[in-house]
Amino acid sequence: MTGAKVAFLHGLPSEVVDVITPYTPDGWTTEVVHRDMPMDEQKAIVSDADFIMVYRAPLGDEVLRAANKARMVQLLAAGYDSMNLPLMAALEVPCANNGGANSWAVADHAVLLMLSLYKRQMHTDPATRQGRWSAPVSGTNTFEMADKLVGVLGIGNIGRQVARRVQGFDADVQYYDLYPLSEERERELDVRRVSLDELFRSSDILTCHTPLTPQTHHIVNRERLAMMKPTAVVINTSRGPVVDEAALIEALQGDRIAGAGLDVFEQEPVDPANPLLQMDNVVVTPHIAGTTWNTWFRRAEFAYRNMRRVWNGEPPLAIAQDFD
């Protein structure tokens, strides 16, 4: 049997592509397909591909239907909300995500947002540069992570990494997930399972790490934000529509919660007129939590290893779930 063909559909710089493609197994081929390539050319390339690997590129239905031999769509990302999972199911082509390859990077970033809010980093940095030394810090408006209760919404690969990190700052962790951990795993991670309402009511920090599905769309909504402590903060490094932005803006403007740290937005790129960008109790970044140089090597290694499993007749890992 000849080696497999991988069609790599992407929107990446060439330097990153050059890191990923050398992981192609011996005897296999990887054909690189930039997202700007004409649709007919994309369809021609995937027509005899055994696997389609995707990152930062739309996988159109026409292209997917043209992939007559595809055994799996392998994502280099964690999120799969842009994939047409029903069509893939109808075509009997499974879709796998990156198996947590970017979980370290996203977890680091979530903690960065927490600490930036607690230590007012977005105020102290410009003040220091402008010669206003300690002006933003009064002694009453900065805080520690120790003894805070961190609520993790979604305890998958990233959520578990966040739990470990905040425990290193002496915080306690509770979580809610549609698919709870076993009691043994909860003891191992030192996390406590609570109801969704309790997560919102009692958490000092609510950090979102759930995939975007019909069930999680606007799971952080007006009603649940109203349950939160006025001293609580919301962190979102998952997907923008997990949080109802209009409700979050209302809660922040009304001082019903203390702040928010956001890497993702309902509209991306974010509208410069978005009120969240004008608030001094909000820290923002441009959907970069999972983007580090280190992740590309792990993403590539996992992706090709997972495709080899399928090629060898083994079940794939990290299959995306459609929560219907």
Side-chain angles (χ1 to χ4, degrees):
M1 182 186 294
T2 58
K5 173 183 172 180
V6 178
F8 180 20
L9 178 59
H10 75 93
L12 289 167
S14 59
E15 296 89 342
V16 177
V17 174
D18 290 344
V19 166
I20 293 167
T21 54
Y23 282 83
T24 305
D26 290 343
W28 287 32
T29 59
T30 297
E31 189 157 354
V32 176
V33 185
H34 193 274
R35 66 186 179 191
D36 293 336
M37 183 179 288
M39 188 69 67
D40 287 346
E41 293 182 34
Q42 293 188 30
K43 289 163 65 175
I45 291 171
V46 303
S47 64
D48 64 344
D50 299 287
F51 299 96
I52 305 174
M53 189 165 65
V54 183
Y55 191 79
R56 287 189 183 171
L59 177 56
D61 291 353
E62 287 184 56
V63 175
L64 186 56
R65 290 183 187 278
N68 302 307
K69 292 177 57 182
R71 301 190 185 192
M72 183 171 68
V73 172
Q74 174 65 59
L75 307 180
L76 294 182
Y80 48 83
D81 46 283
S82 64
M83 296 293 109
N84 188 343
L85 296 184
L87 177 57
M88 291 182 192
L91 297 174
E92 299 183 344
V93 177
C95 178
N97 74 6
N98 69 9
N102 68 337
S103 59
W104 292 271
V106 179
D108 287 354
H109 200 88
V111 175
L112 168 70
L113 295 176
M114 297 174 197
L115 293 173
S116 295
L117 287 168
Y118 271 8
K119 301 292 285 185
R120 295 179 64 81
Q121 189 274 337
M122 61 282 202
H123 301 291
T124 56
D125 179 280
T128 304
R129 295 173 189 271
Q130 295 161 12
R132 294 184 295 112
W133 199 232
S134 60
V137 177
S138 66
T140 64
N141 59 358
T142 52
F143 305 92
E144 300 168 356
M145 189 89 77
D147 297 325
K148 298 299 188 296
L149 184 54
V150 176
V152 178
L153 181 58
I155 196 82
N157 289 310
I158 296 169
R160 293 194 295 271
Q161 293 289 349
V162 171
R164 293 187 181 101
R165 281 158 174 72
V166 298
Q167 286 163 346
F169 290 91
D170 295 321
D172 297 315
V173 179
Q174 60 184 7
Y175 82 94
Y176 172 82
D177 198 295
L178 289 169
Y179 300 90
L181 302 172
S182 66
E183 291 183 6
E184 179 182 1
R185 189 74 170 120
E186 289 176 355
R187 286 192 296 271
E188 179 186 332
L189 289 172
D190 192 21
V191 297
R192 180 170 62 95
R193 185 190 325 175
V194 295
S195 69
L196 187 57
D197 284 354
E198 178 62 20
L199 192 82
F200 280 84
R201 273 196 295 264
S202 58
S203 296
D204 296 300
I205 300 170
L206 177 79
T207 183
C208 302
H209 304 290
T210 180
L212 177 61
T213 70
Q215 285 71 26
T216 63
H217 182 271
H218 285 185
I219 194 170
V220 181
N221 56 28
R222 184 172 287 102
E223 178 184 1
R224 294 188 177 114
L225 286 166
M227 298 176 183
M228 298 186 73
K229 301 175 182 180
T231 55
V233 300
V234 172
I235 306 296
N236 190 11
T237 57
S238 58
R239 288 294 185 268
V242 166
V243 176
D244 180 342
E245 268 185 26
L248 178 63
I249 290 166
E250 286 180 15
L252 290 163
Q253 289 176 336
D255 294 326
R256 292 194 291 275
I257 62 172
L262 307 171
D263 183 54
V264 290
F265 299 85
E266 292 208 64
Q267 173 190 323
E268 293 184 358
V270 64
D271 185 343
N274 189 317
L276 291 166
L277 305 186
Q278 316 306 320
M279 297 181 181
D280 65 4
N281 56 346
V282 177
V283 58
V284 296
T285 52
H287 202 148
I288 56 164
T291 304
T292 65
W293 177 247
N294 314 81
T295 66
W296 301 118
F297 303 90
R298 293 194 299 270
R299 293 175 199 255
E301 190 279 329
F302 176 83
Y304 281 105
R305 175 161 51 89
N306 205 27
M307 289 185 283
R308 285 195 68 167
R309 284 177 60 90
V310 174
W311 184 250
N312 293 331
E314 300 175 70
L317 302 174
I319 290 297
Q321 297 182 64
D322 195 6
F323 296 89
D324 55 15

